């Protein structure tokens, strides 16, 4: 996408610089080594740290938080950053828990980011299901975000959020043209729930991108934690076998993280 810069900080955390805005997704800045509980007998250890510390980010105009109740999307140091950010957008349940004026959205609801001297950005919440059917009461609410601003040439900038492939997420490319997608992957699984997966597999990602046909595909949230079962190799293999030129649209952003 023209005039957009994306810096992958680690996991789901990315700094998106566009139209004069500096937007941070799912802030995770804790060091590696700690084990975190995800509820219902599930847990995972963080294996790698962030590419940047919070004090190395520079000013952040807004945080887009797909969900705040899992530490691989909002950890302690990421949470400490939120009070200094002018705008925080998340789920409705997450906004109630965070307080502080956070904006909560249901899927397909919109909010507008505004600030002096910058064009407004329309943020549309997109559907997510963070696991198999009937998992929402356990996994909790999650949303993705589609960003649109004046001057975009080819379509929205879409952050899928933690989701599996299901009817709701398939509606996104049917409702809007997607130029760039920040694609949450990893095929999350836990020993206590067997073969069930809680985020998109590489095969599901190919299906979704075949439907959406984005010009640029940026994988995130596939590394750095024990509960990811598919990394870069699995994603590259799946996209290499995809029809047409889909694999050529895959762009891996560099990470400067060090293994624990």
């Amino acid at each position: 996408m023209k005039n957009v810069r994306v810096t992958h900080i680690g996991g789901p955390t990315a700094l998106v610089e566009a139209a004069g805005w500096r937007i941070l997704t799912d802030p995770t800045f804790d060091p590696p080594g700690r084990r975190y509980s995800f509820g219902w007998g599930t847990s995972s250890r963080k294996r790698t740290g962030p590419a940047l510390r919070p004090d190395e980010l520079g000013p952040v105009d807004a945080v887009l938080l797909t969900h705040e109740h899992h530490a691989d999307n909002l950890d302690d140091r990421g949470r400490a950053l939120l009070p200094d950010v002018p705008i925080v957008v998340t789920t409705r349940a997450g906004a109630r828990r965070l307080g502080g004026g956070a904006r909560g959205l249901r899927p397909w609801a919109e909010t507008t980011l505004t600030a002096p001297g910058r064009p407004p950005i329309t943020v549309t919440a997109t559907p997510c299901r963070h696991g198999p059917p009937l998992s929402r009461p356990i996994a909790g609410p999650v949303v993705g975000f589609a960003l649109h601003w004046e001057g975009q040439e080819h379509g929205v900038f879409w952050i899928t959020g933690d989701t599996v492939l299901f009817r709701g997420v398939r509606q996104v490319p049917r409702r809007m043209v997607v130029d760039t997608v920040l694609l949450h992957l990893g095929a999350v699984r836990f020993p206590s729930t067997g073969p069930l997966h809680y985020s998109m597999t590489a095969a599901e990602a190919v299906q979704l991108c075949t439907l959406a046909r984005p010009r640029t595909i940026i994988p995130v949230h596939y590394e750095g934690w024990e509960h990811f079962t598919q990394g870069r190799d699995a994603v590259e293999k799946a996209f290499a076998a995809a029809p047409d030129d889909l694999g050529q649209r895959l762009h891996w952003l560099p990470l400067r993280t060090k293994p624990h």
Side-chain angles (χ1 to χ4, degrees):
M1 182 178 279
K2 186 178 180 180
N3 298 325
V4 176
R5 179 181 178 183
V6 181
T7 302
H8 189 193
I9 295 168
T13 310
L15 181 65
V16 181
E17 297 174 84
W21 288 85
R22 305 182 85 248
I23 299 171
L24 189 68
T25 68
D26 286 352
T28 55
F29 292 97
D30 285 359
R34 178 176 164 188
R35 178 170 291 279
Y36 297 80
S37 172
F38 291 89
W40 296 84
T42 62
S43 67
S44 182
R45 187 178 302 278
K46 188 174 185 178
R47 289 175 169 166
T48 59
L52 296 172
R53 300 189 308 269
D55 61 351
E56 296 174 316
L57 281 176
V60 175
D61 302 309
V63 164
L64 302 181
L65 181 56
T66 64
H67 57 302
E68 42 64 58
H69 54 280
H70 291 156
D72 60 333
N73 294 84
L74 181 68
D75 58 18
D76 292 344
R77 292 188 180 181
R79 193 177 293 268
L81 181 75
L82 297 184
D84 296 325
V85 178
I87 304 170
V88 177
V89 185
T90 188
T91 64
R92 285 172 60 86
R96 287 194 297 269
R97 287 190 288 261
L98 289 173
R103 305 181 191 181
L105 299 179
R106 290 193 179 101
W108 302 119
E110 294 182 350
T111 190
T112 302
L113 311 183
T114 59
R118 288 175 229 149
I121 294 182
T122 300
V123 178
T124 304
T126 59
C128 292
R129 195 183 76 205
H130 200 358
L134 306 179
S135 64
R136 277 197 180 94
I138 298 172
V142 182
V143 291
F145 301 103
L147 279 57
H148 175 73
W149 59 89
E150 186 177 351
Q152 280 177 315
E153 295 180 346
H154 299 283
V156 301
F157 186 103
W158 182 26
I159 302 156
T160 65
D162 287 6
T163 185
V164 297
L165 186 62
F166 76 113
R167 183 180 66 178
V169 80
R170 287 190 182 98
Q171 291 176 353
V172 176
R174 292 173 179 149
R175 292 192 179 205
M176 55 186 69
V177 176
V178 178
D179 180 81
T180 298
V181 59
L182 210 63
L183 191 62
H184 288 219
L185 296 169
V188 165
R189 289 187 174 91
F190 298 100
S192 61
T193 55
L196 300 176
H197 66 276
Y198 295 86
S199 65
M200 214 176 299
T201 66
E204 288 177 333
V206 167
Q207 291 181 55
L208 180 60
C209 290
T210 299
L211 182 63
R213 303 300 298 177
R215 292 201 308 166
T216 303
I217 302 164
I218 302 175
V220 296
H221 212 21
Y222 59 87
E223 43 65 46
W225 288 81
E226 284 181 348
H227 60 314
F228 293 131
T229 64
Q230 290 184 340
R232 178 167 175 165
D233 289 348
V235 176
E236 287 183 333
K237 183 177 179 180
F239 274 85
D244 302 326
D245 63 344
L246 202 63
Q248 298 176 24
R249 305 180 185 207
L250 203 61
H251 293 269
W252 298 93
L253 300 183
L255 274 168
R256 300 189 301 276
T257 54
K258 297 178 181 180
H260 178 66

